[in-house]
Amino acid sequence: MYFVLKVAGSALVTIGSLLAGRKVKMQYKKRCEILKQMQEALKYADDTIAIENTLLDNVLRDCGEKFFKKEKGKDVWTCAAENLKTEFGSFENAWDKACNEFFEDEVCLNEKDKECIRNIGKAIGIANTQRQTAHVTAGLQRLQTLEKEANAAETKEGNNAVKIALAIAAVVIIVLF
């Protein structure tokens, strides 16, 4: 009976460790996805503002609906559109508030990611479309660099997280026996 409890405990420890390792790996993957979605939304916003001359709050809502479907309105773009109503046209303040709300839920983003996303507010809020496009291009390049770093981290660190979790499980199992 004692042996059966050890085997059951070992199985539970292994499963728990594997799940913990996979959760960490999924956080790395989510970071990559968010950075990619931000790039796509930023390109779309810049094109829509420059070419179609669409109202900013409509562009922001469209970005949220098209590129952040899983978040269901809890993304930075949709929040910024809502905040524009209360900020009386101050896009940078609306974007900062939206970023603060968004960053509370997205723990997978690091400080460089957050700073880059925060700077998007400065790029989109420029009235001159040529200057806006130049700032957006710089922001896109920065997001692409961060995405490459995130992909490398996901590959390396994500796999290591699973391996470390399983190694810890093996140590616990050895101690059990």
Side-chain angles (χ1 to χ4, degrees):
M1 181 67 173
Y2 186 64
F3 180 74
V4 172
L5 287 175
K6 283 185 177 183
V7 170
S10 298
L12 289 174
V13 167
T14 303
I15 291 169
S17 295
L18 185 60
L19 290 174
R22 297 257 318 137
K23 180 161 178 74
V24 170
K25 186 174 181 174
M26 293 307 291
Q27 289 297 318
Y28 281 106
K29 184 174 180 152
K30 187 173 182 180
R31 176 181 174 219
C32 295
E33 290 172 359
I34 288 172
L35 292 172
K36 182 69 174 172
Q37 290 169 319
M38 279 292 175
Q39 289 175 56
E40 292 169 355
L42 186 55
K43 286 178 195 173
Y44 174 82
D46 185 42
D47 290 344
T48 306
I49 292 168
I51 296 169
E52 297 177 17
N53 204 17
T54 307
L55 290 174
L56 189 55
D57 61 337
N58 292 337
V59 172
L60 296 173
R61 278 193 190 81
D62 287 347
C63 287
E65 290 172 6
K66 288 182 182 199
F67 303 105
F68 290 88
K69 294 176 185 172
K70 291 179 188 174
E71 286 77 5
K72 298 177 184 166
K74 299 274 187 189
D75 62 278
V76 68
W77 298 91
T78 307
C79 290
E82 294 300 318
N83 290 342
L84 264 178
K85 294 175 185 174
T86 59
E87 289 300 317
F88 306 108
S90 173
F91 178 72
E92 203 166 331
N93 288 343
W95 186 262
D96 276 343
K97 283 184 178 181
C99 285
N100 291 337
E101 293 172 24
F102 182 67
F103 295 153
E104 286 177 9
D105 296 334
E106 300 302 334
V107 294
C108 61
L109 297 172
N110 65 28
E111 289 305 314
K112 287 194 258 182
D113 301 337
K114 291 177 182 179
E115 179 184 338
C116 186
I117 292 169
R118 223 178 261 289
N119 287 336
I120 290 173
K122 294 174 186 163
I124 294 179
I126 297 172
N128 181 323
T129 56
Q130 289 177 335
R131 286 185 57 218
Q132 173 186 325
T133 301
H135 283 279
V136 166
T137 302
L140 284 170
Q141 290 172 345
R142 181 73 178 129
L143 282 170
Q144 287 170 347
T145 303
L146 290 171
E147 183 190 6
K148 287 178 186 174
E149 290 174 12
N151 283 329
E154 177 194 0
T155 302
K156 182 180 177 186
E157 303 297 329
N159 291 336
N160 287 343
V162 173
K163 290 175 186 174
I164 290 170
L166 289 176
I168 291 170
V171 169
V172 170
I173 291 169
I174 289 171
V175 169
L176 279 175
F177 284 99

mmCIF file of all heavy atoms in Angstrom, residues 147-174:
data_model
loop_
_atom_site.group_PDB
_atom_site.id
_atom_site.type_symbol
_atom_site.label_atom_id
_atom_site.label_comp_id
_atom_site.label_asym_id
_atom_site.label_seq_id
_atom_site.Cartn_x
_atom_site.Cartn_y
_atom_site.Cartn_z
ATOM 1 N N GLU A 147 10.329 41.091 -31.097
ATOM 2 C CA GLU A 147 9.712 39.819 -31.446
ATOM 3 C C GLU A 147 10.773 38.755 -31.719
ATOM 4 O O GLU A 147 10.630 37.604 -31.306
ATOM 5 C CB GLU A 147 8.803 39.972 -32.664
ATOM 6 C CG GLU A 147 8.075 38.677 -33.003
ATOM 7 C CD GLU A 147 7.359 38.709 -34.324
ATOM 8 O OE1 GLU A 147 7.490 39.696 -35.080
ATOM 9 O OE2 GLU A 147 6.667 37.722 -34.615
ATOM 10 N N LYS A 148 11.847 39.139 -32.406
ATOM 11 C CA LYS A 148 12.938 38.182 -32.659
ATOM 12 C C LYS A 148 13.553 37.714 -31.350
ATOM 13 O O LYS A 148 13.822 36.524 -31.164
ATOM 14 C CB LYS A 148 14.012 38.809 -33.547
ATOM 15 C CG LYS A 148 13.584 38.948 -34.988
ATOM 16 C CD LYS A 148 14.647 39.625 -35.824
ATOM 17 C CE LYS A 148 14.136 39.887 -37.230
ATOM 18 N NZ LYS A 148 15.093 40.663 -38.022
ATOM 19 N N GLU A 149 13.762 38.663 -30.424
ATOM 20 C CA GLU A 149 14.285 38.295 -29.103
ATOM 21 C C GLU A 149 13.316 37.371 -28.382
ATOM 22 O O GLU A 149 13.724 36.403 -27.735
ATOM 23 C CB GLU A 149 14.518 39.553 -28.256
ATOM 24 C CG GLU A 149 15.657 40.424 -28.699
ATOM 25 C CD GLU A 149 15.746 41.717 -27.903
ATOM 26 O OE1 GLU A 149 15.072 41.853 -26.848
ATOM 27 O OE2 GLU A 149 16.493 42.612 -28.328
ATOM 28 N N ALA A 150 12.031 37.672 -28.482
ATOM 29 C CA ALA A 150 11.015 36.852 -27.819
ATOM 30 C C ALA A 150 10.967 35.447 -28.414
ATOM 31 O O ALA A 150 10.827 34.467 -27.680
ATOM 32 C CB ALA A 150 9.641 37.521 -27.929
ATOM 33 N N ASN A 151 11.096 35.337 -29.730
ATOM 34 C CA ASN A 151 11.109 34.020 -30.368
ATOM 35 C C ASN A 151 12.313 33.210 -29.921
ATOM 36 O O ASN A 151 12.201 32.010 -29.663
ATOM 37 C CB ASN A 151 11.093 34.158 -31.891
ATOM 38 C CG ASN A 151 9.730 34.511 -32.435
ATOM 39 O OD1 ASN A 151 8.719 34.125 -31.874
ATOM 40 N ND2 ASN A 151 9.700 35.251 -33.525
ATOM 41 N N ALA A 152 13.468 33.867 -29.834
ATOM 42 C CA ALA A 152 14.670 33.170 -29.370
ATOM 43 C C ALA A 152 14.503 32.730 -27.919
ATOM 44 O O ALA A 152 14.871 31.605 -27.551
ATOM 45 C CB ALA A 152 15.892 34.076 -29.515
ATOM 46 N N ALA A 153 13.944 33.594 -27.102
ATOM 47 C CA ALA A 153 13.717 33.252 -25.692
ATOM 48 C C ALA A 153 12.705 32.125 -25.565
ATOM 49 O O ALA A 153 12.863 31.238 -24.719
ATOM 50 C CB ALA A 153 13.240 34.481 -24.914
ATOM 51 N N GLU A 154 11.667 32.157 -26.410
ATOM 52 C CA GLU A 154 10.665 31.089 -26.354
ATOM 53 C C GLU A 154 11.303 29.746 -26.679
ATOM 54 O O GLU A 154 11.070 28.751 -25.988
ATOM 55 C CB GLU A 154 9.525 31.348 -27.338
ATOM 56 C CG GLU A 154 8.497 30.237 -27.357
ATOM 57 C CD GLU A 154 7.550 30.297 -28.535
ATOM 58 O OE1 GLU A 154 7.658 31.200 -29.375
ATOM 59 O OE2 GLU A 154 6.688 29.410 -28.611
ATOM 60 N N THR A 155 12.116 29.726 -27.705
ATOM 61 C CA THR A 155 12.754 28.479 -28.109
ATOM 62 C C THR A 155 13.695 27.967 -27.024
ATOM 63 O O THR A 155 13.627 26.802 -26.627
ATOM 64 C CB THR A 155 13.544 28.690 -29.419
ATOM 65 O OG1 THR A 155 12.641 29.158 -30.415
ATOM 66 C CG2 THR A 155 14.187 27.404 -29.877
ATOM 67 N N LYS A 156 14.531 28.859 -26.528
ATOM 68 C CA LYS A 156 15.543 28.442 -25.549
ATOM 69 C C LYS A 156 14.957 28.277 -24.157
ATOM 70 O O LYS A 156 15.021 27.203 -23.562
ATOM 71 C CB LYS A 156 16.672 29.472 -25.531
ATOM 72 C CG LYS A 156 17.791 29.125 -24.595
ATOM 73 C CD LYS A 156 18.875 30.186 -24.620
ATOM 74 C CE LYS A 156 19.957 29.866 -23.613
ATOM 75 N NZ LYS A 156 20.939 30.927 -23.516
ATOM 76 N N GLU A 157 14.405 29.348 -23.633
ATOM 77 C CA GLU A 157 13.938 29.360 -22.254
ATOM 78 C C GLU A 157 12.670 28.529 -22.055
ATOM 79 O O GLU A 157 12.483 27.907 -21.013
ATOM 80 C CB GLU A 157 13.697 30.793 -21.781
ATOM 81 C CG GLU A 157 14.901 31.705 -21.885
ATOM 82 C CD GLU A 157 16.062 31.263 -21.026
ATOM 83 O OE1 GLU A 157 15.841 30.662 -19.955
ATOM 84 O OE2 GLU A 157 17.207 31.520 -21.436
ATOM 85 N N GLY A 158 11.786 28.547 -23.046
ATOM 86 C CA GLY A 158 10.550 27.779 -22.926
ATOM 87 C C GLY A 158 10.818 26.287 -22.817
ATOM 88 O O GLY A 158 10.250 25.597 -21.970
ATOM 89 N N ASN A 159 11.700 25.797 -23.672
ATOM 90 C CA ASN A 159 12.063 24.377 -23.595
ATOM 91 C C ASN A 159 12.806 24.064 -22.307
ATOM 92 O O ASN A 159 12.610 23.005 -21.707
ATOM 93 C CB ASN A 159 12.902 23.974 -24.808
ATOM 94 C CG ASN A 159 12.094 23.984 -26.090
ATOM 95 O OD1 ASN A 159 10.882 23.850 -26.061
ATOM 96 N ND2 ASN A 159 12.762 24.153 -27.206
ATOM 97 N N ASN A 160 13.673 24.987 -21.888
ATOM 98 C CA ASN A 160 14.402 24.783 -20.632
ATOM 99 C C ASN A 160 13.462 24.753 -19.432
ATOM 100 O O ASN A 160 13.701 24.023 -18.475
ATOM 101 C CB ASN A 160 15.468 25.859 -20.436
ATOM 102 C CG ASN A 160 16.655 25.671 -21.361
ATOM 103 O OD1 ASN A 160 16.851 24.601 -21.930
ATOM 104 N ND2 ASN A 160 17.439 26.718 -21.518
ATOM 105 N N ALA A 161 12.402 25.541 -19.471
ATOM 106 C CA ALA A 161 11.450 25.571 -18.353
ATOM 107 C C ALA A 161 10.804 24.199 -18.174
ATOM 108 O O ALA A 161 10.655 23.720 -17.038
ATOM 109 C CB ALA A 161 10.378 26.635 -18.591
ATOM 110 N N VAL A 162 10.443 23.565 -19.270
ATOM 111 C CA VAL A 162 9.838 22.233 -19.192
ATOM 112 C C VAL A 162 10.857 21.228 -18.657
ATOM 113 O O VAL A 162 10.559 20.407 -17.782
ATOM 114 C CB VAL A 162 9.296 21.798 -20.579
ATOM 115 C CG1 VAL A 162 8.819 20.358 -20.538
ATOM 116 C CG2 VAL A 162 8.166 22.720 -21.010
ATOM 117 N N LYS A 163 12.089 21.314 -19.159
ATOM 118 C CA LYS A 163 13.135 20.384 -18.720
ATOM 119 C C LYS A 163 13.458 20.571 -17.232
ATOM 120 O O LYS A 163 13.621 19.597 -16.498
ATOM 121 C CB LYS A 163 14.402 20.583 -19.553
ATOM 122 C CG LYS A 163 14.244 20.124 -20.985
ATOM 123 C CD LYS A 163 15.482 20.450 -21.797
ATOM 124 C CE LYS A 163 15.274 20.113 -23.264
ATOM 125 N NZ LYS A 163 16.402 20.551 -24.092
ATOM 126 N N ILE A 164 13.546 21.815 -16.795
ATOM 127 C CA ILE A 164 13.834 22.086 -15.378
ATOM 128 C C ILE A 164 12.700 21.581 -14.499
ATOM 129 O O ILE A 164 12.944 20.981 -13.440
ATOM 130 C CB ILE A 164 14.088 23.595 -15.159
ATOM 131 C CG1 ILE A 164 15.427 23.990 -15.790
ATOM 132 C CG2 ILE A 164 14.061 23.954 -13.686
ATOM 133 C CD1 ILE A 164 15.668 25.480 -15.845
ATOM 134 N N ALA A 165 11.473 21.811 -14.929
ATOM 135 C CA ALA A 165 10.327 21.330 -14.151
ATOM 136 C C ALA A 165 10.358 19.811 -14.024
ATOM 137 O O ALA A 165 10.109 19.262 -12.942
ATOM 138 C CB ALA A 165 9.020 21.791 -14.791
ATOM 139 N N LEU A 166 10.688 19.128 -15.104
ATOM 140 C CA LEU A 166 10.771 17.667 -15.045
ATOM 141 C C LEU A 166 11.958 17.205 -14.211
ATOM 142 O O LEU A 166 11.871 16.184 -13.509
ATOM 143 C CB LEU A 166 10.830 17.084 -16.458
ATOM 144 C CG LEU A 166 9.533 17.186 -17.251
ATOM 145 C CD1 LEU A 166 9.723 16.680 -18.666
ATOM 146 C CD2 LEU A 166 8.415 16.420 -16.563
ATOM 147 N N ALA A 167 13.055 17.938 -14.241
ATOM 148 C CA ALA A 167 14.211 17.588 -13.406
ATOM 149 C C ALA A 167 13.863 17.734 -11.923
ATOM 150 O O ALA A 167 14.247 16.884 -11.105
ATOM 151 C CB ALA A 167 15.408 18.468 -13.765
ATOM 152 N N ILE A 168 13.140 18.791 -11.592
ATOM 153 C CA ILE A 168 12.703 18.981 -10.205
ATOM 154 C C ILE A 168 11.776 17.842 -9.789
ATOM 155 O O ILE A 168 11.878 17.312 -8.673
ATOM 156 C CB ILE A 168 12.036 20.365 -10.023
ATOM 157 C CG1 ILE A 168 13.077 21.458 -10.166
ATOM 158 C CG2 ILE A 168 11.324 20.453 -8.672
ATOM 159 C CD1 ILE A 168 12.511 22.853 -10.237
ATOM 160 N N ALA A 169 10.897 17.458 -10.711
ATOM 161 C CA ALA A 169 10.003 16.332 -10.414
ATOM 162 C C ALA A 169 10.806 15.057 -10.162
ATOM 163 O O ALA A 169 10.491 14.283 -9.255
ATOM 164 C CB ALA A 169 9.028 16.120 -11.571
ATOM 165 N N ALA A 170 11.841 14.852 -10.964
ATOM 166 C CA ALA A 170 12.675 13.643 -10.786
ATOM 167 C C ALA A 170 13.357 13.650 -9.416
ATOM 168 O O ALA A 170 13.422 12.623 -8.745
ATOM 169 C CB ALA A 170 13.718 13.570 -11.902
ATOM 170 N N VAL A 171 13.844 14.817 -8.996
ATOM 171 C CA VAL A 171 14.479 14.913 -7.671
ATOM 172 C C VAL A 171 13.474 14.604 -6.566
ATOM 173 O O VAL A 171 13.779 13.865 -5.626
ATOM 174 C CB VAL A 171 15.116 16.315 -7.488
ATOM 175 C CG1 VAL A 171 15.544 16.541 -6.055
ATOM 176 C CG2 VAL A 171 16.276 16.508 -8.444
ATOM 177 N N VAL A 172 12.291 15.154 -6.690
ATOM 178 C CA VAL A 172 11.253 14.912 -5.677
ATOM 179 C C VAL A 172 10.897 13.421 -5.653
ATOM 180 O O VAL A 172 10.719 12.828 -4.559
ATOM 181 C CB VAL A 172 10.009 15.794 -5.943
ATOM 182 C CG1 VAL A 172 8.846 15.387 -5.053
ATOM 183 C CG2 VAL A 172 10.345 17.267 -5.741
ATOM 184 N N ILE A 173 10.808 12.818 -6.812
ATOM 185 C CA ILE A 173 10.475 11.389 -6.875
ATOM 186 C C ILE A 173 11.577 10.559 -6.234
ATOM 187 O O ILE A 173 11.293 9.602 -5.498
ATOM 188 C CB ILE A 173 10.207 10.958 -8.327
ATOM 189 C CG1 ILE A 173 8.898 11.606 -8.816
ATOM 190 C CG2 ILE A 173 10.142 9.447 -8.465
ATOM 191 C CD1 ILE A 173 8.653 11.477 -10.294
ATOM 192 N N ILE A 174 12.811 10.918 -6.491
ATOM 193 C CA ILE A 174 13.936 10.188 -5.877
ATOM 194 C C ILE A 174 13.884 10.301 -4.370
ATOM 195 O O ILE A 174 14.100 9.327 -3.635
ATOM 196 C CB ILE A 174 15.279 10.706 -6.444
ATOM 197 C CG1 ILE A 174 15.424 10.257 -7.893
ATOM 198 C CG2 ILE A 174 16.453 10.200 -5.608
ATOM 199 C CD1 ILE A 174 16.584 10.881 -8.637
#
